[in-house]
Amino acid sequence: MDVKDLSWFPGHMAKTLRSIAERLPQVDVVLETCDARIPHSSRNPELDRILGTKPRVVVLNKADLAEETWTRAWVRALETSSCAAIPVDSLHRSGLDRVRNAAADLCAGRIERAAERGRIFRPVRAMVVGIPNSGKSTLINALSGRKAARTEDRPGVTRGAQWIRGEGPLELMDMPGVLWPNLGSDFRRLRLAATGAVRDEVVSTEDLAEGLVGLLAARYPDRLRARYKLEDLSLPAFELLEAAARKRGCLLPGNRADLSRFCAILLDEFRGGVLGRMTLETPDDIGADRIAPAVLPEAGD
Ligand code: G4P
């Protein structure tokens, strides 16, 4: 995959990372959103370093777009004594009570000590962090039961962190989304771009579609074949795109395949869940950041 600029890292993101580190002592727990389709690639390693052992709830957001079997495997892989992992569909507001309970459980010791001293523990203070587009605003809106203002990720419009009252004993601190320098390996960049976490800044649509079709041919061959009426998935990714474009009627004068039109369709359909619920990486893949991991069983296998 052709990456446009290896030194890619907007300056305001470095500022956000510093701001997260500064505000960490003010909160009891961190809610870290990631995309349940790519729970490894959508977690910022810089955040991981900054958050250290702070009690954390990893919110596997957009769980409605991921395969349940693999989401369960990710939950098992991510949970530790100071970290809970909860699948959530913020858009349709499911999994929210589990997030509230997990946040409270991680602070249970402090709540009990406060009760012993006859004091009612103040609301649990949670900082919401994650990469852009991982659903932080949607999660905050869902947890607070209202339409909260969005914290922008762009330079110039980033506001200071703000407290938002959640439903139940929870206060939320909204932070802007943050990525990390260079975005790691091709493995991660492909998955981040395919799910819409990073847009055109990092990869061109056609390079991205080529990477995605290769990934889907390895991960979900039956669905790819059925959706785009492809016969021979052993073709190089570029030829698969051409064949699929023709079948879809994306043609230019001279009967040439209109690749840019088809690539946009493929990305839209993948991102919109038209191809079905998909998980693009499993806990077993991440050790070596493998680009073409073993074929996953299709749902229900
Ligand atoms: P952010 O604050 O972390 O940047 O993310 P935000 O809440 O804005 O969500 C980004 C996109 O993801 C939004 O789509 C939102 O509706 C969608 N989204 C958030 N949570 C979920 C979820 O649990 N399930 C599903 N299916 N979608 C979710 P959008 O408004 O269409 O924006 P865009 O994708 O066009 O940027």
Side-chain angles (χ1 to χ4, degrees), residues 134-241:
S134 57
K136 292 177 301 302
S137 310
T138 314
L139 175 71
I140 288 174
N141 291 347
L143 284 172
S144 62
R146 67 192 172 95
K147 180 101 188 95
R150 182 179 175 147
T151 298
E152 293 284 350
D153 301 322
R154 284 175 291 125
V157 286
T158 301
R159 296 192 310 264
Q162 49 171 330
W163 284 109
I164 298 158
R165 191 67 207 255
E167 279 176 2
L170 192 64
E171 277 182 352
L172 302 160
M173 185 191 276
D174 188 11
M175 297 299 292
V178 64
L179 288 162
W180 62 98
N182 306 339
L183 301 176
S185 61
D186 279 354
F187 177 98
R188 287 187 116 158
R189 282 193 290 265
L190 169 59
R191 284 156 177 78
L192 285 168
T195 52
V198 290
R199 302 255 176 203
D200 308 339
E201 307 108 315
V202 183
V203 197
S204 79
T205 304
E206 288 185 22
D207 285 338
L208 175 54
E210 204 175 315
L212 179 61
V213 88
L215 181 58
L216 296 180
R219 291 279 192 195
Y220 293 100
D222 296 346
R223 293 196 222 174
L224 187 68
R225 216 179 265 118
R227 177 79 196 162
Y228 300 110
K229 304 189 172 44
L230 292 167
E231 279 140 32
D232 182 5
L233 290 190
S234 68
L235 292 173
F238 183 77
E239 290 180 35
L240 285 178
L241 284 178

Side-chain angles (χ1 to χ4, degrees), residues 76-131:
R76 284 194 298 275
L78 292 171
E79 277 187 334
T80 66
S81 57
S82 65
C83 178
I86 312 281
V88 171
D89 171 1
S90 296
L91 201 58
H92 307 98
R93 306 198 166 195
S94 112
L96 301 174
D97 279 343
R98 293 188 61 202
V99 172
R100 292 185 185 101
N101 292 340
D105 284 351
L106 287 167
C107 306
R110 295 177 63 183
I111 293 173
E112 272 166 30
R113 281 194 296 278
E116 276 161 20
R117 289 196 296 267
R119 288 209 302 264
I120 296 170
F121 193 72
R122 58 167 169 69
V124 171
R125 289 192 179 146
M127 178 193 275
V128 181
V129 299
I131 65 168

